Amino acid sequence: MPLTLSRRSLLVTGTLGLGAFAVPGLGVAQTVLAARGFTHSVASGEPGADSMLLWTRFVPAAGDSARLVAEVSETPDFARIVATGAAITGAWRDWTVKITVDGLRAGQRYHYRFIAADGTRSPVGETKTLPDSAAPMWRAAVFSCSNFGFGWFNAYGHAAARDDIDCAIHLGDYFYEYSPGNYPPAAAQVAGRVPQPLAETIHLADYRLRYASYRADPDLQALHARVPWIVQWDDHESANDSWEGGAQNHDPATEGDWNTRRAAAVQAYREWMPVSDEPWKAYDIGTLATLWRTETRLFARSRQNEIADIIGSGDPATALKAFRDGAWSDPAVTMLGSQQESWLAHDLTRSVRQGQKWQVVGFGTILGNLRTPEVAGSWIDPGNKRAVGYVTASIAASQAGLPGNLDSWGGYPSARARFLKSAQAAEANLIVICGDSHNAWAFDLAQDGPAGVEFAGHAVTSPGYESAIKRDPRDVARAMVAANPELKWCDTSRRGYMALTITPERVRNDWLFVDTIRDRRPTATVGHSAEVMRGQRVMTA
């Protein structure tokens, strides 16, 4: 039976997972909207050295609320409970539960479960606290851009099967807001991978149901139940190319006030994700590193420019030069907002003075300077008018000394410079990790001298350049590296995830590429690795 998740056929998952769709006689009335019990297994997040946030969703057989108890044990048999917590949930929060437990030991793996008032028990999850001393190593699997319709989440499945991952980090686009047939278009849709609702997510109920669809995926459930997650949103958790005052994919005339939609997106995210309500946060990983999750979309970001709008109907070179010399460099244009900028700059300094070996900052979009080479015009199928127009505009922008994509940090050069200068002033050993582009990149970041390195991740499923380019990816990589001094390596054709390994004197990043996303086969191999030594701020490999 194909996995087409509908309002009337979205089955209870929990212990059944997506295999429930193939169970004869289970009945389509057993949907998420009508389901009872633990509907979406368990998850953990916000790891600390002595605390952890635990998540589940539980709908009681009757009543307008439910009381749950969380139990934590060092062994899977729960012979000795080392921490507990309790919470009450109801329809006001879509029956989701988040409980933070304290009193845990640093660097320790734990087992946890939830127990309802009727004695029902959730599936058992595993989690691991952050170290609080000189840990020799810490490894995270890093993800972004997981579009349900484009294929199977084999990257999640592969990471969940590993026994050497301490944490999962998701840098945004955990789901996509589009209606079916839009992105992916019908021709690219993987059979059965159709999330609900069968419309664009605009209202709170829509966002909640979209999360329910995605969280029914067995590989996503497995990884949530295997390790703690640190998560942040990018744009598609609300709407494409979102900013403080709107989004490219939001029409106030037909979709209502942006603030209402934004509030719905944020509420559903905080309900369904194992994340605290803080918009940004720092995590000290023993003395190895500090990791920061940031907010770069909804609360302070200035409206991004579109190259096509800048060009208009006039002379492209003249229009782009005027933009480059004027509005592009306006210091008032911000990605983080002054409050978050100040917090991050001060906390970089705190981390260095505290003795943390590395400073790792997660952003939604690429920080490295990235321009489009002129030869890219020959890579595009002339029949793909949309791609031709986009690439032509990007080439024109790059010829004028502008980045090819103004939605990334390249469109916010003053803000980018302020961040990099703050890292240099703090003498940080800066590692930037990001997603968004669907492709894999490795940058040596510079701001009047070396500033750090950036490891940019490819998508879990969302397509990269290969969807519009009919050219050997090796040719594309050579041309991109040649055109961009900060760029040292890239891959624009494969999907997967990154594995970031932090040790006191060295950080290594592996780009893992899955064999396929067209069917469920969680196999992957390391396609490229890069390293940086402490104190060098440029890659050595």
Side-chain angles (χ1 to χ4, degrees):
M1 182 176 180
L3 176 61
T4 302
L5 301 179
S6 70
R7 289 181 184 269
R8 304 310 303 166
S9 66
L10 189 53
L11 302 178
V12 178
T13 55
T15 57
L16 293 177
L18 295 184
F21 283 87
V23 178
L26 191 57
V28 296
Q30 199 174 3
T31 67
V32 160
L33 298 180
R36 297 296 179 265
F38 292 98
T39 65
H40 285 79
S41 193
V42 296
S44 65
E46 299 294 347
D50 62 354
S51 64
M52 188 70 65
L53 184 153
L54 307 177
W55 180 99
T56 194
R57 184 174 187 269
F58 179 83
V59 184
D64 60 0
S65 64
R67 185 181 188 275
L68 276 79
V69 173
E71 294 184 339
V72 181
S73 173
E74 293 182 358
T75 59
D77 61 3
F78 289 84
R80 188 173 73 88
I81 306 301
V82 298
T84 63
I88 296 172
T89 188
W92 62 85
R93 57 173 304 109
D94 205 14
W95 300 100
T96 61
V97 176
K98 292 194 292 189
I99 298 174
T100 296
V101 293
D102 293 303
L104 306 179
R105 293 195 296 135
Q108 174 70 42
R109 181 166 290 278
Y110 289 96
H111 302 266
Y112 65 95
R113 67 188 180 191
F114 292 85
I115 302 177
D118 63 2
T120 305
R121 293 178 177 176
S122 73
V124 174
E126 296 179 66
T127 193
K128 188 177 183 181
T129 52
L130 298 180
D132 70 349
S133 59
M137 185 179 72
W138 188 81
R139 179 175 288 127
V142 185
F143 304 91
S144 63
C145 306
S146 41
N147 188 308
F148 195 94
F150 275 112
W152 289 88
F153 292 158
N154 290 325
Y156 294 147
H158 185 270
R162 298 176 62 160
D163 60 6
D164 62 346
I165 299 296
D166 297 303
C167 184
I169 300 171
H170 205 291
L171 296 170
D173 298 343
Y174 181 92
F175 78 32
Y176 284 71
E177 83 281 13
Y178 296 109
S179 59
N182 187 328
Y183 188 73
Q189 179 81 49
V190 170
R193 298 281 291 181
V194 182
Q196 285 292 305
L198 294 177
E200 186 176 327
T201 58
I202 298 172
H203 309 291
L204 179 58
D206 303 331
Y207 285 104
R208 285 171 165 173
L209 189 55
R210 187 61 56 92
Y211 279 110
S213 292
Y214 272 63
R215 291 291 291 274
D217 182 273
D219 295 308
L220 179 53
Q221 279 196 12
L223 187 58
H224 268 302
R226 184 76 173 89
V227 294
W229 285 49
I230 294 173
V231 298
Q232 61 190 63
W233 59 58
D234 191 34
D235 54 341
H236 290 291
E237 289 90 345
S238 54
N240 182 57
D241 286 359
S242 52
W243 59 286
E244 182 183 13
Q248 177 275 328
N249 191 28
H250 180 76
D251 181 2
T254 59
E255 296 173 335
D257 180 63
W258 166 249
N259 290 322
T260 301
R261 182 176 184 178
R262 179 178 64 173
V266 170
Q267 178 176 335
Y269 186 87
R270 289 173 171 168
E271 289 171 346
W272 277 86
M273 299 296 285
V275 66
S276 68
D277 290 349
E278 300 150 290
W280 50 79
K281 190 171 180 177
Y283 308 82
D284 286 334
I285 305 165
T287 57
L288 277 176
T290 302
L291 168 68
W292 289 269
R293 66 169 169 87
T294 62
E295 198 293 303
T296 59
R297 278 292 175 186
L298 299 180
F299 296 155
R301 175 196 270 250
S302 303
R303 185 173 189 169
Q304 57 274 78
N305 290 281
E306 296 286 344
I307 297 173
D309 293 339
I310 295 166
I311 294 173
S313 58
D315 175 61
T318 300
L320 289 166
K321 181 179 183 298
F323 172 73
R324 181 199 66 200
D325 297 339
W328 181 54
S329 299
D330 186 350
V333 175
T334 180
M335 181 78 80
L336 299 169
S338 60
Q339 180 185 355
Q340 189 180 183
E341 273 191 24
S342 177
W343 166 79
L344 184 54
H346 282 87
D347 217 50
L348 283 165
T349 299
R350 174 200 64 84
S351 174
V352 173
R353 290 178 177 173
Q354 186 174 288
Q356 305 298 108
K357 303 295 192 299
W358 299 93
Q359 287 68 47
V360 184
V361 182
F363 289 132
T365 55
I366 288 175
L367 189 73
N369 283 321
L370 198 58
R371 295 176 181 173
T372 305
E374 186 173 356
V375 70
S378 66
W379 299 341
I380 307 299
D381 179 356
N384 189 336
K385 302 299 184 183
R386 182 177 180 275
V388 168
Y390 180 84
V391 171
T392 300
S394 295
I395 292 171
S398 297
Q399 289 174 336
L402 294 165
N405 175 21
L406 298 179
D407 183 60
S408 70
W409 280 87
Y412 301 74
S414 294
R416 178 188 189 272
R418 289 194 297 269
F419 166 68
L420 290 177
K421 287 178 180 178
S422 71
Q424 290 171 323
E427 298 184 345
N429 284 282
L430 177 67
I431 307 289
V432 171
I433 54 175
C434 70
D436 180 67
S437 77
H438 306 176
N439 301 292
W441 316 89
F443 296 92
D444 282 339
L445 301 169
Q447 181 63 43
D448 300 323
V453 304
E454 177 177 20
F455 303 134
H458 43 318
V460 171
T461 58
S462 301
Y465 284 9
E466 82 283 358
S467 63
I469 292 176
K470 308 306 178 186
R471 180 64 65 93
D472 188 326
R474 292 170 294 184
D475 294 338
V476 175
R478 280 191 291 268
M480 294 298 291
V481 170
N484 293 281
E486 289 188 345
L487 181 64
K488 304 306 174 184
W489 170 86
C490 69
D491 181 278
T492 60
S493 64
R494 293 177 286 180
R495 314 278 69 81
Y497 70 102
M498 300 191 299
L500 184 73
T501 303
I502 303 174
T503 62
E505 298 302 322
R506 183 194 311 262
V507 171
R508 188 185 79 244
N509 192 67
D510 298 325
W511 285 264
L512 289 100
F513 299 108
V514 295
D515 294 341
T516 183
I517 60 172
R518 302 298 295 182
D519 56 64
R520 190 184 177 201
R521 194 181 344 142
T523 53
T525 55
V526 176
H528 185 74
S529 298
E531 292 185 346
V532 57
M533 301 297 295
R534 186 166 179 263
Q536 293 191 4
R537 298 178 180 85
V538 294
M539 284 175 280
T540 58

